[in-house]
Amino acid sequence: MTGREFFTARTVAEALAGFRPDHRTPVEHVPLADALHRVPAAAVASPAPLPGFVKSTVDGYAVRAADTYGASDGLPSYLDLLGAVSMGAAPDVAVRAGGCVAMPTGGVLPDGADAVVMVEYTAETMPGTIEITRPVAPGSGLVRADEDVTAGAPLVPAGRPLRAPDLGLLAAAGVTTVAVHARPRVVIISTGDEVVPPSTVELLPGQVRDATASALAGLVTDAGGEPVVAGIVSDEPGVLKDKLAEVLPTADLVVVSAGSSVGARDETAGAVAAVGSVWCHGLAIKPGKPTLLADCGGIPLIGLPGNPLSALVVFGQVGIPLLWRLSGCEHPPPAPSTLARLSRDLASATGRLDVVQVQLRDGVAEPVFGPSALLSVLTRADGYLVVPEPATGLDAGTEVEVTLYR
């Protein structure tokens, strides 16, 4: 090391666009029950058209549309009731000129019919005779056999996390298993002579319990990954390098929560450089400047700041998009957000992304400030806003987008 605290500093936008390791998780087949939010490795084509038959979308009567032309309240059309369609069965009756067939919603359209009249526009004036008071056009009140999906068309695309309606469409097509990318295995390493396990009952002067690893594991799980908390590594030279060599073969992403001192950061950078290629050491983000990104034989590594607030903010901005990309998703699903008015002026620096925690009250975003060592800043916040890199700040009253914590 040269003694410089940072080198190859990049903006967050540069990191998201430029730090793109090729590694992707392997493909596995999972049942639909386990497929929610998983990322398909390839588009799934429909084996047959859906719904597969022409069906009614309303309760009413299947008719030939031409038999209803000119019908009105004052001059209804009268049709012979020829029978009824049962749900889940093929019709045993056809529609002929001057006739109609009773239809339930979802029933199979009988031969000879080309429309369905809603029951609200009909009346049975005498047994076996149906009065029609509204005309219908061909195709009214029904869906085509391939109107939902044509045979061979994609049911779901590759690279987009599966949502609940996707599972329903797959089930409707008879697809019960899906080839998806495995959940990224994220190995979390904590470092620092001052860091002790959360189970430590009594702290010695200067010791802190490892809060960051538990919080990071939660973020990883929430983003669809599989966290592996690999324990605490001391600042002694060579120990972190050995730990990285041990975990890299089993990881899809390695996250190192580094110590806060310059020496500890230097040790992290040196250990990472010994097993991989450092892409940047320093991001133009507040909080979170001392961030390291590296490629270790195709496995990405993120070196986070030691302060918990900074570590979690950086992982949210850079780590979670990277985790989604590892699982085959190039465009992560957006987090829930809302618009609010800023309660006070916010200063910033051009070229730096500022992530500001806020509380929401009656449509007003109130910044929550505090040292980056305090996790309570995050627990008190309802979400955060971002002051973009070109801005020098935001004025009170500005409408801002607040990304909400779930």
Side-chain angles (χ1 to χ4, degrees):
M1 301 293 293
T2 64
R4 290 187 302 169
E5 186 176 354
F6 304 113
F7 58 90
T8 324
R10 304 290 183 91
T11 66
V12 172
E14 288 174 335
L16 293 175
F19 183 63
R20 305 175 70 86
D22 293 333
H23 179 71
R24 296 293 181 271
T25 60
V27 176
E28 61 185 15
H29 288 78
V30 300
L32 286 187
D34 298 328
L36 186 64
H37 304 318
R38 302 296 295 273
V39 181
V44 180
S46 181
L50 290 177
F53 57 91
V54 181
K55 68 177 182 177
S56 174
T57 61
V58 296
D59 289 334
Y61 294 89
V63 299
R64 298 196 326 163
D67 288 341
T68 71
Y69 293 163
S72 66
D73 291 329
L75 190 62
S77 295
Y78 293 94
L79 302 178
D80 296 329
L81 181 59
L82 305 174
V85 170
S86 300
M87 288 296 294
D92 58 4
V93 61
V95 173
R96 56 172 170 74
C100 65
V101 171
M103 289 293 301
T105 299
V108 181
L109 191 74
D111 290 341
D114 60 5
V116 178
V117 180
M118 292 179 63
V119 70
E120 289 86 345
Y121 304 131
T122 69
E124 189 169 3
T125 56
M126 64 183 71
T129 301
I130 303 300
E131 178 185 84
I132 309 294
T133 59
R134 292 289 189 278
V136 291
S140 295
L142 53 84
V143 295
R144 302 186 310 272
D146 63 354
E147 190 162 339
D148 209 359
V149 181
T150 59
L155 294 166
V156 294
R160 192 198 73 190
L162 292 171
R163 303 176 298 213
D166 298 323
L167 303 186
L169 188 60
L170 290 166
V175 178
T176 58
T177 61
V178 190
V180 298
H181 284 277
R183 299 184 187 278
R185 182 179 168 89
V186 182
V187 177
I188 301 168
I189 302 172
S190 301
T191 70
D193 292 332
E194 77 284 10
V195 182
V196 295
S199 58
T200 303
V201 176
E202 186 173 345
L203 297 177
L204 299 177
Q207 288 184 331
V208 294
R209 295 184 182 91
D210 185 6
T212 304
S214 296
L216 286 172
L219 290 177
V220 169
T221 300
D222 195 47
E226 178 187 336
V228 179
V229 178
I232 301 166
V233 172
S234 73
D235 291 331
E236 183 180 348
V239 177
L240 178 57
K241 175 187 171 183
D242 292 342
K243 188 67 173 180
L244 292 175
E246 173 191 331
V247 303
L248 277 168
T250 67
D252 297 302
L253 171 64
V254 175
V255 180
V256 179
S257 176
S260 299
S261 69
V262 174
R265 285 198 294 265
D266 287 350
E267 173 60 28
T268 300
V272 172
V275 297
S277 174
V278 175
W279 189 83
C280 79
H281 191 183
L283 284 181
I285 183 174
K286 181 182 179 182
K289 186 179 180 182
T291 296
L292 181 149
L293 301 175
D295 187 328
C296 300
I299 303 300
L301 180 146
I302 304 177
L304 295 173
N307 283 326
L309 172 59
S310 300
L312 298 181
V313 166
V314 170
F315 192 79
Q317 295 296 309
V318 178
I320 288 179
L322 178 58
L323 192 154
W324 276 110
R325 190 176 302 123
L326 292 171
S327 61
C329 176
E330 288 295 328
H331 303 287
S337 64
T338 188
L339 296 177
R341 296 285 177 183
L342 189 59
S343 67
R344 52 164 291 172
D345 292 343
L346 280 180
S348 183
T350 302
R352 182 186 71 196
L353 192 77
D354 277 16
V355 180
V356 181
Q357 308 303 311
V358 298
Q359 291 179 331
L360 292 173
R361 297 292 182 272
D362 300 322
V364 175
E366 177 67 37
V368 180
F369 295 111
S372 58
L374 302 183
L375 270 175
S376 61
V377 174
L378 282 173
T379 61
R380 288 185 287 123
D382 298 309
Y384 66 88
L385 63 86
V386 171
V387 183
E389 290 155 349
T392 57
L394 297 174
D395 296 329
T398 300
E399 186 176 68
V400 293
E401 182 178 16
V402 177
T403 300
L404 301 173
Y405 294 128
R406 291 176 286 193

